[in-house]
Amino acid sequence: MNEDLKVNVSGLPRDYLDAGAAGNVSAAVSSQVPGVEPEPELVVNPWDIVLCTSGTLISCENAIVVLIIFHNPSLRAPMFLLIGSLALADLLAGIGLIINFVFAYLLQSEATKLVTIGLIVASFSASVCSLLAITVDRYLSLYYALTYHSERTVTFTYVMLIMLWGTSVCLGLLPVLGWNCLQDESTCSVVRPLTKNNAAILSISFLFMFALMLQLYIQICKIVMRHAHQIALQHHFLATSHYVTTRKGVSTLAIILGTFAACWMPFTLYSLIADYTYPSIYTYATLLPATYNSIINPVIYAFRNQEIQKALCLICCGCIPSSLSQRAPSPSDV
């Protein structure tokens, strides 16, 4: 009687328990027979596949921009150096996403995690800093229009590049040098193995740079509107023509800044308020739009540029369309 009570404590039917017992016996017997153990099934997270696909697209797109600028000696002006820096940073970010996928499922170790997250942090930091440097360069080209094309501008550009890449590399080295949460899970952020303090510093730095970019673009809008108004007066344009031209320039600046904010702001704010205890789906859902910014950057900053369009046409078809050679720059190209 006592034995029956012990068996039925689980609440499962008798025949289910008997079948389970039989299965246990057969498993015990089979464990004593030499054989090959089945390999564990590899389960791939669909979000990781999407991130890897995004990284592949980022790498291919930005590799084209890097090759165009590298193989064209005429594209050595400060603006093209900064666009090349942005493309190189996004290219490394795409490679980092691909490597992260490969290491996560084929070569799992703490060392690979640290190296991968360091590469991703450094490359995305360089991408955001390059966007800020491009904004500064555009502001200087308008505010100091007469002295912009001078040796001083080239020197200042190289100084900006050294500073932004040096800062980005230092941020990427922090997890590798020990500022990680591998030894203490409670300090992890939404992106393991980054600590919450590390993620907070990155997020606050992004908000600071976004505020600086916003201020610079407001000043750029004022300069563009003033220049367009002066040109309209000199050439006796109609008021409607001046309004349309100015509106195009302001709309372009709004698209640039709005796209940047829409891509990065969700993940930035989420990193500030969340930690490792939050569901990972929220991290993926906010991180994925941030990677899209590296897909959009070549379209906004490189492929819209007239000189890069000419170089791309020369590579693809060996000629320059007349529409490009005869086109004059406008405020919408800012």
Side-chain angles (χ1 to χ4, degrees):
M1 179 67 69
N2 293 334
E3 185 177 355
D4 292 340
L5 288 175
K6 290 180 181 179
V7 173
N8 288 314
V9 162
S10 64
L12 296 175
R14 167 72 67 176
D15 53 352
Y16 183 86
L17 292 171
D18 292 343
N24 292 334
V25 172
S26 61
V29 173
S30 61
S31 63
Q32 297 177 0
V33 179
V36 179
E37 295 183 358
E39 296 183 358
E41 183 180 356
L42 182 63
V43 180
V44 180
N45 190 335
W47 286 98
D48 289 332
I49 297 177
V50 176
L51 283 177
C52 183
T53 304
S54 178
T56 304
L57 182 58
I58 291 170
S59 301
C60 296
E61 196 176 11
N62 286 279
I64 296 175
V65 180
V66 172
L67 290 176
I68 290 175
I69 295 178
F70 180 78
H71 285 289
N72 284 270
S74 60
L75 303 179
R76 293 295 181 269
M79 174 180 60
F80 297 112
L81 293 177
L82 295 175
I83 293 177
S85 172
L86 174 63
L88 178 61
D90 288 334
L91 172 62
L92 293 177
I95 294 175
L97 293 175
I98 298 173
I99 293 177
N100 178 67
F101 179 83
V102 174
F103 284 173
Y105 293 99
L106 300 180
L107 189 60
Q108 298 181 1
S109 68
E110 292 186 356
T112 56
K113 289 180 182 179
L114 294 176
V115 172
T116 304
I117 197 64
L119 174 61
I120 293 176
V121 169
S123 55
F124 276 122
S125 298
S127 177
V128 175
C129 291
S130 296
L131 291 175
L132 176 60
I134 290 174
T135 307
V136 172
D137 178 73
R138 288 180 169 181
Y139 172 76
L140 294 178
S141 66
L142 293 174
Y143 192 80
Y144 300 102
L146 297 179
T147 60
Y148 174 75
H149 299 283
S150 63
E151 195 67 30
R152 183 183 303 177
T153 304
V154 178
T155 303
F156 179 73
T157 302
Y158 281 112
V159 171
M160 281 199 302
L161 289 174
I162 293 173
M163 290 181 61
L164 75 88
W165 278 100
T167 303
S168 301
V169 170
C170 290
L171 291 174
L173 287 176
L174 288 180
V176 181
L177 296 178
W179 203 3
N180 57 70
C181 64
L182 293 180
Q183 305 300 326
D184 187 3
E185 191 79 15
S186 62
T187 62
C188 283
S189 66
V190 294
V191 179
R192 193 176 183 273
L194 290 181
T195 63
K196 289 184 290 186
N197 292 335
N198 196 342
I201 290 176
L202 293 174
S203 299
I204 294 174
S205 300
F206 168 82
L207 293 176
F208 172 77
M209 286 189 287
F210 176 75
L212 185 57
M213 289 177 62
L214 179 60
Q215 179 63 27
L216 287 173
Y217 272 122
I218 290 175
Q219 298 301 320
I220 290 175
C221 285
K222 293 179 179 179
I223 297 174
V224 169
M225 294 175 66
R226 185 170 64 248
H227 286 184
H229 179 68
Q230 293 174 352
I231 293 174
L233 292 178
Q234 291 176 1
H235 294 80
H236 304 288
F237 289 160
L238 296 177
T240 55
S241 176
H242 161 253
Y243 171 75
V244 171
T245 304
T246 306
R247 187 183 63 180
K248 286 183 178 180
V250 174
S251 299
T252 302
L253 297 178
I255 291 173
I256 291 174
L257 196 60
T259 301
F260 177 67
C263 291
W264 276 105
M265 198 61 71
F267 180 72
T268 301
L269 298 179
Y270 180 70
S271 299
L272 283 175
I273 63 176
D275 55 24
Y276 74 100
T277 60
Y278 281 61
S280 61
I281 187 173
Y282 297 146
T283 303
Y284 283 111
T286 54
L287 179 60
L288 192 59
T291 64
Y292 290 161
N293 187 65
S294 297
I295 299 176
I296 300 172
N297 282 338
V299 179
I300 294 179
Y301 295 94
F303 296 137
R304 288 178 65 253
N305 184 275
Q306 186 174 346
E307 298 301 322
I308 293 181
Q309 289 177 2
K310 291 180 181 179
L312 186 60
C313 290
L314 283 175
I315 294 175
C316 295
C317 60
C319 62
I320 300 177
S322 58
S323 59
L324 285 178
S325 59
Q326 298 175 359
R327 177 190 166 197
S330 67
S332 61
D333 296 330
V334 174

